[in-house]
Amino acid sequence: MQFYRNLQPIKALTFDLDDTLYDNRPVIVRAEQAMYDWLAEYHPCSHTLTRQDWMVLKQHIAMADPMLKHDVTLWRYELIKIGLMQLGYRLADAEKAAHHGLEVVLAVRNQVNVPAETHRVLSELAQRVPLLAITNGNVDADKIGLGQYFLRVLVAGRDGLAKPAPDLFAQAAVLLGLPAEHILHVGDHLVTDVGGAKKNGFQACWYNDQLRQLHSEPRSRLLPDIEISQLAPLLTLVS
C-alpha cells in the first residue's frame, strides 16, 4: 500500500465492481462471443457483417447518441436492433430480437468468478463501515454474490450518468449520509474511479493489481490518495 496523501478518517467505502473486485476481462470476451454465437444461430443473415462491422456500428451509434455510453445495456440493445434493421428487419422484429439477444448476453455477463479473497475482505469491511458499489457496467451484483455486502449498488444509466460524472458519487454521499471527504472510493480506473472520486470530493484509492506505474499512465490527471495491489490492506484503514 502506497500513500500519496494523509487520509481523512474513513467512515464508509464505495467500490467499483468490474476489474476491481474480480477480473472482468474474460467475462467481456465471453459475453461478446455469446452475442456473435447467438446471431449466427438465430439470425444467420448476420454473417454478412464482420466483427469489425459490428464494432464500427457500435461507435457510430454512440456518436449519434452520446448518452448511450452512460448505459451499456441500452447501448447493446440498440446495437443489435440497428444492426438487424440494416440487414432488412422491420422495426418490431428487430426490437423483439434485440430483447432476446440482450438476455443471452446478460446471462453470460453475470457468469463471474469472484475470488474468495474478495468475499473475505468485503465481509469484514461490511461489519465495520457502510459499503456502496458504484459501477459503469451492467453486472448484476446479486447474481454474482456481491450484493449482500452493499447497502446499495448504483448503476450508470439506471441511476444517472456514468463515472466520472458526479451523479453516482453525489447519490452515494446522500445515501451514506456522510460528507464526501470521509468516503473512500476504491477502483481500478484512473479516470472514472480516481478522477471521478477526487473531482467529487471523495478520497480515492487506486486498485492497481496489474502493477502499473502511475507516472507512466498517460490518462492519469489526478493523484489518488492511496494505491493498493490487493484488497486486504483496506482492512487496516478502518476499525
Side-chain angles (χ1 to χ4, degrees):
M1 181 162 52
Q2 181 169 349
F3 290 83
Y4 296 103
R5 298 185 187 88
N6 292 326
L7 292 176
Q8 296 294 316
I10 298 168
K11 299 181 180 179
L13 290 94
T14 58
F15 281 90
D16 171 53
L17 296 179
D18 297 340
D19 294 319
T20 298
L21 299 180
Y22 48 83
D23 185 0
N24 195 52
R25 289 167 284 264
V27 180
I28 294 302
V29 171
R30 292 195 302 269
E32 288 287 333
Q33 185 61 51
M35 185 186 80
Y36 295 121
D37 291 344
W38 170 80
L39 284 167
E41 180 176 358
Y42 291 95
H43 306 279
C45 64
S46 65
H47 78 274
T48 58
L49 295 178
T50 66
R51 291 196 180 202
Q52 181 63 28
D53 291 333
W54 285 101
M55 292 174 62
V56 170
L57 177 60
K58 185 177 182 180
Q59 295 308 314
H60 284 171
I61 291 172
M63 290 174 63
D65 184 0
M67 290 299 291
L68 286 175
K69 288 190 175 182
H70 294 280
D71 188 334
V72 294
T73 299
L74 181 59
W75 193 3
R76 174 81 61 180
Y77 170 83
E78 289 294 321
L79 170 64
I80 297 173
K81 182 189 78 175
I82 293 173
L84 292 177
M85 289 180 68
Q86 290 188 352
L87 292 169
Y89 281 55
R90 295 179 301 174
L91 174 61
D93 293 333
E95 289 177 337
K96 182 178 179 180
H99 281 297
H100 181 210
L102 188 60
E103 289 177 357
V104 171
V105 173
L106 289 178
V108 177
R109 176 72 178 88
N110 288 314
Q111 295 171 4
V112 176
N113 180 26
V114 178
E117 178 69 351
T118 295
H119 285 287
R120 183 187 76 83
V121 173
L122 289 180
S123 178
E124 290 194 32
L125 286 172
Q127 296 176 46
R128 304 181 189 182
V129 292
L131 308 180
L132 256 71
I134 303 177
T135 180
N136 285 353
N138 57 358
V139 73
D140 187 318
D142 289 326
K143 289 183 178 179
I144 66 172
L146 291 180
Q148 60 185 315
Y149 305 116
F150 301 113
L151 298 178
R152 177 83 177 270
V153 177
L154 297 174
V155 179
R158 183 190 71 192
D159 296 311
L161 300 182
K163 300 173 294 183
D167 299 39
L168 304 184
F169 291 103
Q171 287 188 60
V174 171
L175 288 167
L176 290 167
L178 292 169
E181 62 267 23
H182 290 299
I183 305 171
L184 178 68
H185 179 69
V186 184
D188 70 294
H189 203 286
L190 284 167
V191 176
T192 60
D193 289 310
V194 173
K198 295 307 296 179
K199 287 179 180 178
N200 290 288
F202 284 47
Q203 298 184 90
C205 174
W206 182 35
Y207 178 70
N208 178 24
D209 65 328
Q210 302 298 305
L211 302 181
R212 293 144 57 193
Q213 298 299 312
L214 186 60
H215 60 80
S216 300
E217 292 292 325
R219 300 186 69 189
S220 176
R221 295 292 182 271
L222 294 173
L223 191 69
D225 295 285
I226 60 173
E227 175 185 337
I228 58 174
S229 58
Q230 298 177 326
L231 293 176
L234 294 172
L235 294 169
T236 67
L237 300 178
V238 294
S239 57

